[in-house]
Amino acid sequence: MEVVGVQPMGQRYVLLRLTHSQPLPPIFPGQFVEVRVDHSPTTFLRRPISVHHVDEANNELWLLVAVVGDGTRQMTSVHNGDTLNCLLPLGNGFTLPTDGNAAPLLVGGGVGVAPLLYLGHCLKVQGIRPTFLLGARTASDLPQSLLSHYRELGTVLITTEDGSEGEQGFVTQHSILQHQRFDIIYTCGPQPMMRAVARYATEHEVECEVSLENKMACGLGACLCCVEKTDEGNICVCKDGPVLNIKKLLWQS
């Protein structure tokens, strides 16, 4: 895919905008891309990156990449006109509500905010205005330049552990959860955060889907790096997920 945009987003993130000479295949919210990292002597495996957004009008795929190591640093050092070798779309995505009056809550932490933008877009297409609840350690950890895109789709609420933006605390401590009822919760981020969201959903009898962030080297279920235990035995998150209903997971046992 051809790189048509490389935009730093705060201290940690880079937004890559990619296109292709052919129309993009159908992509569903929650699916991901395996990106080959070239010219990095320490990086041998592809990197799984969530689909951040699909701009159908411009035939663009957006990837929000957190720069955390040699692989992602090399991946985001590209320039307009360069190409990236991408395997997509992979995995199974979120289950969209069938009720146009549904009240979904989209909870993201860290780079887990990435897949929620395209999910919010797809919900808006169905006439549903979601609530985003985004958490971070501090305000600088949020992709500030992108928050306007979330606000175009729904209500955006923020928590930071140090109180530098939004309410202070974790996402599960936000006051919205004390006085508003949601029909379904979608979440992606660090596993401790997702486990806490899953506990909240279970206690309040709300349907909940999580997008797991297990290490996924191949994206096809061949390497067995991403195995997760479920009520039906072990599964490969890349092939059978990454989105799963919390009822299938053994987190609550």
Side-chain angles (χ1 to χ4, degrees):
M1 301 190 72
E2 180 184 354
V3 178
V4 293
V6 184
Q7 300 169 257
M9 296 289 168
Q11 297 179 357
R12 296 186 57 212
Y13 305 101
V14 174
L15 176 66
L16 298 179
R17 292 169 36 234
L18 312 174
T19 191
H20 196 271
S21 58
Q22 299 296 320
L24 295 175
I27 300 174
F28 300 99
Q31 291 188 302
F32 68 100
V33 180
E34 286 278 3
V35 183
R36 192 178 73 195
V37 181
D38 297 322
H39 314 299
S40 175
T42 62
T43 308
F44 303 101
L45 302 173
R46 289 177 180 262
R47 293 294 186 263
I49 307 294
S50 298
V51 171
H52 182 49
H53 184 55
V54 179
D55 182 349
E56 296 176 351
N58 294 304
N59 199 44
E60 287 184 4
L61 171 70
W62 294 11
L63 303 179
L64 183 63
V65 183
V67 182
V68 296
D70 291 343
T72 48
R73 189 174 298 110
Q74 181 65 36
M75 185 192 309
T76 54
S77 67
V78 293
H79 301 89
N80 288 359
D82 290 345
T83 58
L84 284 176
N85 185 298
C86 300
L87 189 63
L88 76 148
L90 299 172
N92 296 298
F94 296 104
T95 305
L96 297 180
T98 56
D99 182 359
N101 296 315
L105 176 66
L106 284 56
V107 184
V111 77
V113 306
L116 302 185
L117 182 66
Y118 187 44
L119 174 59
H121 167 79
C122 293
L123 289 169
K124 184 179 180 181
V125 170
Q126 291 190 330
I128 300 172
R129 182 175 175 82
T131 297
F132 297 94
L133 178 51
L134 310 179
R137 287 175 295 180
T138 186
S140 61
D141 286 337
L142 292 163
Q144 296 285 353
S145 302
L146 289 171
L147 293 182
S148 60
H149 293 291
Y150 292 86
R151 293 189 174 103
E152 290 173 2
L153 302 172
T155 301
V156 175
L157 307 171
I158 292 173
T159 66
T160 50
E161 294 179 28
D162 64 359
S164 55
E165 185 162 345
E167 294 189 12
Q168 184 171 8
F170 302 120
V171 288
T172 49
Q173 298 171 324
H174 196 282
S175 58
I176 191 71
L177 299 177
Q178 300 173 13
H179 62 261
Q180 184 167 336
R181 170 81 181 184
F182 295 95
D183 301 312
I184 186 168
I185 298 174
Y186 305 99
T187 184
C188 183
Q191 191 174 110
M193 184 210 77
M194 291 195 293
R195 284 178 178 266
V197 172
R199 282 195 298 272
Y200 171 87
T202 300
E203 292 168 1
H204 292 80
E205 299 181 339
V206 179
E207 286 292 310
C208 181
E209 291 186 344
V210 299
S211 179
L212 300 182
E213 294 189 324
N214 299 35
K215 292 182 178 180
M216 296 179 282
C218 73
L220 302 171
C223 68
L224 304 181
C225 285
C226 61
V227 169
E228 179 79 22
K229 293 181 179 180
T230 72
D231 60 353
E232 298 177 348
N234 292 339
I235 65 164
C236 288
V237 169
C238 67
K239 182 170 62 70
D240 300 305
V243 177
L244 294 171
N245 192 295
I246 59 171
K247 294 175 182 177
K248 289 184 173 292
L249 298 170
L250 303 182
W251 288 358
Q252 310 303 318
S253 59

